[in-house]
Amino acid sequence: MKFSGAAKFFSGLAGSKSSAPATEAFPLLPLRELVLFPNTVLPVFITYKAGICAIDEALRRERRLFAACVRNMETGETYPAGTVANIVQHLKLPDNSYRAVLQGEYRATIDASAQRQEVALVKVSPIGAAEGEDYPVIINALMRSVQKSFSQYAGFTRKVSAETLVAIEKSERAEHMANIICNSISLKPEKKAELLSIADARERLEALLETIEIENEIFGIQKNISGNVRNRMEKIHREYILREQLKEINKELGKDTSIDEFADLERAIENRNPGEEVLLKARKELARLRKLQPLSPESGVIRTYLEWLADLPWSEASDDVTDLARAERILNEDHYAMKKAKERIIEFIAVHNLLRNEEETNREAAREAEDHGMMRRGAQDFSVKGPILCFVGPPGAGKTSLGKSIARCLGRKFVRMSLGGVRDEAEIRGHRKTYVGALPGRIIQSMRKAGSVNPVFLLDEIDKMAGDFRGDPASALLEVLDPEQNATFMDHYLEVPYDLSKTLFITTANSLHTIPYPLLDRMEIIDIPGYGENEKLAIAKQFLAPRQLAENGLKDAKIVFKDETIREIIRHWTMESGVRSLEREIARCTRRLARYAVEKGFGAPDSGVGGEAGLDSGASTGVAKRKKLSEFKKTVKIADLEKLLNRRKYKDDVVFKEAHIGVSYGLAWTETGGAMLPVETVCFPGSGELIITGNLGDVMKESGRIALSYIRSIQPKYKFKQNIAKTDFHIHVPEGAIPKDGPSAGITLASSLLSSLRQIPPKPRVAMTGELTLTGRALPIGGLKEKLLAAIRNGMEMALIPAGNKEDWEDLDKDIHASLSVVFIENAEDAFRALFNEDA
């Protein structure tokens, strides 16, 4: 069976007007996702029970029914507005479903409904559409606007038939035209149902016009977007074709085709003079790049890779300065003390100087041999391999700034890479090109930044690295920091070896304990110890104070920090092995002085009367004529510190001035320098139990048990006030919030236990350190200078140190020797004799 289209009905429907009764009952046909309009035909396929029953009932009632769109698919509820329709054609299929063609007659709304068996019968009222008797001009204008907009819509969609357009153009009634357009336009069912329900002709045309205009605007935007994309693609394709044609034309003419960007990129890589392996890799990638479309993702990856090869320094090197006197002068200008580190750098420059002279001699001999026609082996490259130096010391000791000074005295570029918190191996070796956004590791990135193959490369905070599921960066550094391997360092991104052997690597760390041994074994350890009081005084006068005066605008002022003033700051406003806090406090002083200078009227080029500046913060700021800053004078004295720095930060409250029973003072080493470790012991009747408190680690708790066992073993030599077998001991180390661990407190713990048992106080202001064994030997310890500096800071007068550290003591500075008297002990009994002023 063939269904007739909408076009054949338009001519018959256009001039006819359905005579709608006032109220009439019809079977209700719920249409799913469809809306039927008057003056149109709609082919439908009915497979659901409510629709089949409605058509059966309509065929018994003169083939007429009421068709309404379903609003809710779950409940079967329809919109109240629908269309009274006539079944023009129908075909019942074997499964009882219907194929039918409905012809819309007039719009109506449901007044009442009743259920008869399986059929819903509804009484409807026609929707009266006035034809504009009151405003015919407005209706005609709206009809023309709708016709124009719909013609534009038909041009966008190209889905509206010519017969439909002709019928709309010839339509003279608003109701008729609106029905045909609503049926032809592609809208959601709810929007069509809304247009169907509007009774007033003017309102309906306005709503229809607005809807069509919105659709036209959407189509226009889509067309512009599609056009832009199409034009861009056509342009790229056209450029590609023209470029290929130009290549072929140049080939036919025999012209040089090296002017293209690929040749420029290849020439840039060759100018860097990389190795043969790098050139082969670059040419292979260039050949792949030439075959790819410019906008393909792989093309961008290869282009970026080749640009990295072209930007990296493969043979460019800085000329080393081999003047030993100049290097020594620069190191002394930038840093105070650091004798071992400076000697190592001078040694490196001296070796480099000798090898450079030997290299020049061999080259001269090679040239002479060539002049005489002799075959001679080419001169060997005698460039010294870059050593791996590791500066270990407390914070603020100048490790990082020493790296900059080394670069300056060698005349090399300087790059710094912080390793603190690095957990990803790819940070060192990079990602492979197959990953999106892949880049080389930070080693290669820093080499590109340096622009030479022999920079001074500082790896800062190497002890702060950690590994997780992304790999172990410390293991990735093994190849970087091995002079025998780093000549062929392989970055995952580059995939070709890169020579790092000429780079001078310098690493810094606060502690060696967290550095893996294989990595530590590849480095030359240089200790950067903390500073004594005299060293801090010299650093403050030569470096810190002048720098802070310049940074705070007081370079031209005549400001003097007296020696005793700086010592007072060191003792009562800082507690560190380095000088970072000292510089911070001096900066606070200079900022306060800068404020006073401005309040006093200094700081302008105008001449005036200068004088000694006071510290009165209430000085007038309304000075009419400002004075020269060079006339601002101030000598900072101890009495001024309370006003400049407020009250003291540190007081001598850790150490008792007088002797106390059971109290001894140990010395500890930390990553931030040395620290005082007071140990307090009390004993009371019990069963021989040992209680240890103060947030101590396992090693230190073991030292306490060893000390008690040793004291028990020497009981016959000393007169104890209590029976040690029936006495409990409580050892406490104050500042329990701070973790403490290590074996070097053994002598201190034993002395405190012995003092408590004998009820004899040890000599006051005596500090001690040393690991205790069960037989009473005092084993040597590490970090001697930091520990002794902590003893000096806390006002100790004597220190007991193991005899095994005698050589370390002799290497220390004279100011430490002058500040402390030292007793070398072979065993615990030597310590007891020094503490209790009696023989064993």
Side-chain angles (χ1 to χ4, degrees):
M1 175 179 181
K2 296 182 180 180
F3 294 102
S4 301
K8 65 165 60 176
F9 291 93
F10 287 147
S11 59
L13 295 174
S16 64
K17 292 185 181 180
S18 300
S19 56
T23 303
E24 192 172 349
F26 300 98
L28 175 62
L29 175 63
L31 296 177
R32 297 179 177 179
E33 301 293 328
L34 294 174
V35 178
L36 174 63
F37 287 88
N39 311 116
T40 63
V41 293
L42 180 67
V44 293
F45 181 39
I46 307 299
T47 59
Y48 43 95
K49 187 174 183 179
I52 294 173
C53 294
I55 291 181
D56 288 338
E57 183 66 22
L59 292 175
R60 292 192 291 267
R61 291 173 171 255
E62 299 181 353
R63 308 169 72 92
R64 299 180 76 198
L65 49 77
F66 182 76
C69 181
V70 176
R71 175 187 289 175
N72 191 324
M73 297 295 293
E74 295 181 358
T75 62
E77 177 189 3
T78 63
Y79 288 97
T83 303
V84 174
N86 183 31
I87 301 176
V88 179
Q89 295 178 359
H90 72 280
L91 174 65
K92 192 168 186 178
L93 301 177
D95 59 351
N96 289 328
S97 61
Y98 276 103
R99 291 185 181 273
V101 177
L102 305 180
Q103 174 186 340
E105 296 183 356
Y106 60 91
R107 295 181 293 146
T109 58
I110 299 175
D111 289 338
S113 64
Q115 190 73 23
R116 179 183 297 176
Q117 295 179 355
E118 296 180 350
V119 180
L121 296 179
V122 294
K123 289 187 176 182
V124 299
S125 298
I127 299 177
E131 291 300 323
E133 291 82 359
D134 297 334
Y135 35 83
V137 177
I138 297 176
I139 293 295
N140 290 333
L142 285 172
M143 289 177 64
R144 292 182 183 180
S145 298
V146 170
Q147 289 171 348
K148 182 178 179 181
S149 295
F150 185 75
S151 298
Q152 187 178 2
Y153 173 84
F156 281 131
T157 61
R158 301 182 183 276
K159 294 181 180 180
V160 181
S161 63
E163 294 87 348
T164 303
L165 287 173
V166 171
I168 292 172
E169 289 293 332
K170 293 183 177 180
S171 179
E172 297 179 355
R173 296 176 56 246
E175 173 76 10
H176 175 259
M177 184 189 71
N179 290 333
I180 296 177
I181 292 177
C182 289
N183 183 69
S184 302
I185 196 170
S186 297
L187 296 173
K188 292 184 178 181
E190 52 266 27
K191 186 63 180 177
K192 285 192 173 185
E194 178 186 346
L195 294 173
L196 181 70
S197 64
I198 300 176
D200 184 74
R202 176 178 174 178
E203 292 181 6
R204 193 180 187 203
L205 289 176
E206 288 175 348
L208 182 59
L209 179 61
E210 180 183 357
T211 302
I212 298 174
E213 288 294 335
I214 291 174
E215 294 294 319
N216 287 343
E217 185 176 356
I218 294 173
F219 278 118
I221 295 172
Q222 290 178 342
K223 183 178 181 181
N224 290 336
I225 295 173
S226 301
N228 293 337
V229 173
R230 190 181 304 107
N231 292 337
R232 194 179 303 117
M233 296 301 295
E234 289 175 354
K235 181 181 178 182
I236 294 172
H237 186 63
R238 180 171 171 270
E239 290 178 354
Y240 175 74
I241 293 175
L242 291 175
R243 196 179 296 112
E244 294 299 319
Q245 289 176 348
L246 182 61
K247 290 180 185 178
E248 294 301 323
I249 293 171
N250 287 329
K251 275 186 186 178
E252 294 295 329
L253 295 176
K255 291 184 178 181
D256 183 15
T257 60
S258 62
I259 58 173
D260 62 12
E261 58 177 324
F262 305 119
D264 292 341
L265 197 53
E266 182 178 3
R267 191 160 50 250
I269 297 173
E270 291 174 349
N271 291 339
R272 289 288 188 177
N273 195 22
E276 189 63 28
E277 183 177 353
V278 179
L279 284 176
L280 290 175
K281 178 72 173 177
R283 288 165 181 161
K284 180 180 178 181
E285 296 295 330
L286 273 168
R288 291 179 59 200
L289 182 61
R290 293 176 189 272
K291 299 175 183 178
L292 296 172
Q293 291 285 347
L295 283 183
S296 66
E298 190 176 2
S299 172
V301 171
I302 296 176
R303 188 185 301 274
T304 304
Y305 172 75
L306 292 171
E307 288 173 353
W308 269 100
L309 293 183
D311 290 342
L312 280 175
W314 295 95
S315 58
E316 298 86 349
S318 305
D319 292 331
D320 283 347
V321 179
T322 56
D323 187 351
L324 296 182
R326 174 182 176 274
E328 190 171 2
R329 185 181 68 254
I330 290 174
L331 291 173
N332 290 330
E333 285 176 358
D334 292 348
H335 292 85
Y336 185 82
M338 295 188 181
K339 183 179 178 181
K340 290 184 179 180
K342 292 178 180 178
E343 287 179 351
R344 182 63 184 86
I345 299 305
I346 298 300
E347 291 168 2
F348 173 77
I349 298 174
V351 171
H352 195 281
N353 196 0
L354 292 175
L355 290 176
R356 185 177 182 182
N357 294 335
E358 186 177 352
E359 182 181 0
E360 291 177 356
T361 302
N362 280 272
R363 287 178 178 172
E364 184 65 26
R367 283 194 294 268
E368 291 178 0
E370 290 175 1
D371 293 341
H372 290 84
M374 298 172 59
M375 295 297 292
R376 183 178 174 89
R377 186 180 176 184
Q380 185 179 358
D381 184 8
F382 282 95
S383 59
V384 63
K385 289 183 178 181
I388 314 298
L389 305 179
C390 181
F391 297 147
V392 181
K399 302 184 295 298
T400 302
S401 58
L402 183 59
K404 297 180 182 178
S405 299
I406 293 171
R408 192 159 72 94
C409 70
L410 288 173
R412 294 188 179 189
K413 301 289 183 64
F414 176 78
V415 288
R416 173 182 172 273
M417 173 181 169
S418 178
L419 296 175
V422 172
R423 295 176 176 271
D424 191 353
E425 180 188 354
E427 292 281 338
I428 307 299
R429 290 187 177 275
H431 296 87
R432 301 196 182 276
K433 297 197 302 291
T434 53
Y435 293 100
V436 176
L439 282 175
R442 292 172 63 184
I443 299 291
I444 297 298
Q445 292 182 37
S446 299
M447 295 301 293
R448 183 179 74 165
K449 180 181 178 182
S452 69
V453 295
N454 63 340
V456 174
F457 201 125
L458 180 68
L459 297 171
D460 215 358
E461 307 291 352
I462 196 171
D463 57 327
K464 305 299 189 300
M465 287 189 301
D468 60 9
F469 66 94
R470 291 167 290 189
D472 185 7
S475 299
L477 278 178
L478 293 176
E479 183 182 5
V480 177
L481 299 183
D482 191 339
E484 300 300 327
Q485 298 182 38
N486 59 13
T488 55
F489 172 68
M490 290 292 293
D491 185 274
H492 289 159
Y493 182 83
L494 293 184
E495 298 177 344
V496 290
Y498 188 85
D499 187 3
L500 294 174
S501 62
K502 298 180 178 63
T503 303
L504 174 57
F505 283 102
I506 297 175
T507 65
T508 68
N510 298 129
S511 171
L512 299 178
H513 301 302
T514 57
I515 303 176
Y517 179 76
L519 184 60
L520 190 63
D521 186 55
R522 285 163 168 78
M523 299 185 289
E524 181 179 347
I525 308 301
I526 298 178
D527 289 321
I528 307 293
Y531 299 112
E533 187 173 291
N534 292 336
E535 291 175 322
K536 289 183 179 180
L537 174 62
I539 292 172
K541 292 175 63 177
Q542 296 180 28
F543 302 100
L544 306 183
R547 181 165 64 201
Q548 289 303 320
L549 289 173
E551 290 180 358
N552 290 284
L554 294 175
K555 183 179 181 180
D556 297 331
K558 295 180 175 61
I559 296 176
V560 178
F561 286 87
K562 300 189 73 174
D563 289 0
E564 57 267 24
T565 305
I566 296 177
R567 289 184 187 274
E568 188 73 8
I569 296 175
I570 293 171
R571 292 169 182 169
H572 299 292
W573 275 271
T574 65
M575 185 65 72
E576 59 173 352
S577 294
V579 292
R580 190 168 290 153
S581 294
L582 177 59
E583 183 174 13
R584 194 177 296 121
E585 297 303 325
I586 292 176
R588 289 178 62 195
C589 290
T590 54
R591 288 195 300 270
R592 190 66 61 89
L593 291 173
R595 172 186 171 184
Y596 295 149
V598 174
E599 290 175 346
K600 285 291 185 179
F602 294 91
D606 297 341
S607 61
V609 181
E612 182 76 14
L615 295 178
D616 183 11
S617 60
S620 173
T621 59
V623 180
K625 195 172 185 180
R626 305 190 70 82
K627 309 166 192 175
K628 287 184 178 180
L629 188 60
S630 59
E631 297 176 356
F632 179 69
K633 300 177 182 178
K634 176 60 188 172
T635 300
V636 183
K637 304 174 182 177
I638 294 178
D640 300 327
L641 292 180
E642 291 288 341
K643 295 181 180 179
L644 292 172
L645 299 177
N646 302 322
R647 60 185 179 85
R648 295 178 177 180
K649 289 184 177 179
Y650 302 100
K651 299 179 181 179
D652 298 332
D653 54 358
V654 176
V655 179
F656 290 114
K657 295 181 180 179
E658 64 280 355
H660 281 260
I661 296 174
V663 178
S664 59
Y665 299 100
L667 297 173
W669 179 92
T670 67
E671 293 184 3
T672 59
M676 181 64 70
L677 204 66
V679 176
E680 301 174 351
T681 301
V682 295
C683 56
F684 42 85
S687 58
E689 183 183 358
L690 176 64
I691 303 171
I692 303 177
T693 57
N695 197 358
L696 308 183
D698 292 338
V699 176
M700 196 164 178
K701 290 178 181 178
E702 290 178 359
S703 297
R705 289 190 286 270
I706 292 171
L708 181 57
S709 298
Y710 173 72
I711 294 297
R712 283 175 174 169
S713 70
I714 62 172
Q715 181 178 2
K717 296 182 180 181
Y718 296 94
K719 296 179 181 180
F720 295 160
K721 300 293 184 180
Q722 295 90 2
N723 183 354
I724 195 170
K726 297 181 179 180
T727 302
D728 287 347
F729 300 91
H730 188 162
I731 299 176
H732 176 67
V733 182
E735 296 183 348
I738 301 174
K740 312 169 191 72
D741 202 4
S744 62
I747 294 293
T748 310
L749 294 166
S751 301
S752 179
L753 283 167
L754 184 62
S755 172
S756 179
L757 281 168
R758 300 183 63 189
Q759 292 296 300
I760 298 176
K763 187 185 295 184
R765 296 192 178 277
V766 177
M768 65 201 77
T769 182
E771 181 179 354
L772 178 67
T773 68
L774 276 174
T775 57
R777 287 189 303 151
L779 301 182
I781 46 82
L784 180 64
K785 182 176 181 180
E786 283 76 12
K787 292 181 178 181
L788 295 182
L789 289 176
I792 295 172
R793 284 198 302 269
N794 288 276
M796 294 288 109
E797 298 173 353
M798 180 187 292
L800 309 181
I801 61 177
N805 291 108
K806 191 171 184 178
E807 293 182 357
D808 298 330
W809 164 258
E810 293 173 353
D811 291 339
L812 297 180
D813 302 324
K814 293 181 180 179
D815 60 332
I816 297 180
H817 288 190
S819 302
L820 277 175
S821 63
V822 170
V823 177
F824 296 100
I825 57 175
E826 295 280 354
N827 49 50
E829 293 182 358
D830 294 341
F832 298 157
R833 279 193 291 270
L835 282 172
F836 300 105
N837 290 325
E838 60 183 41
D839 294 334

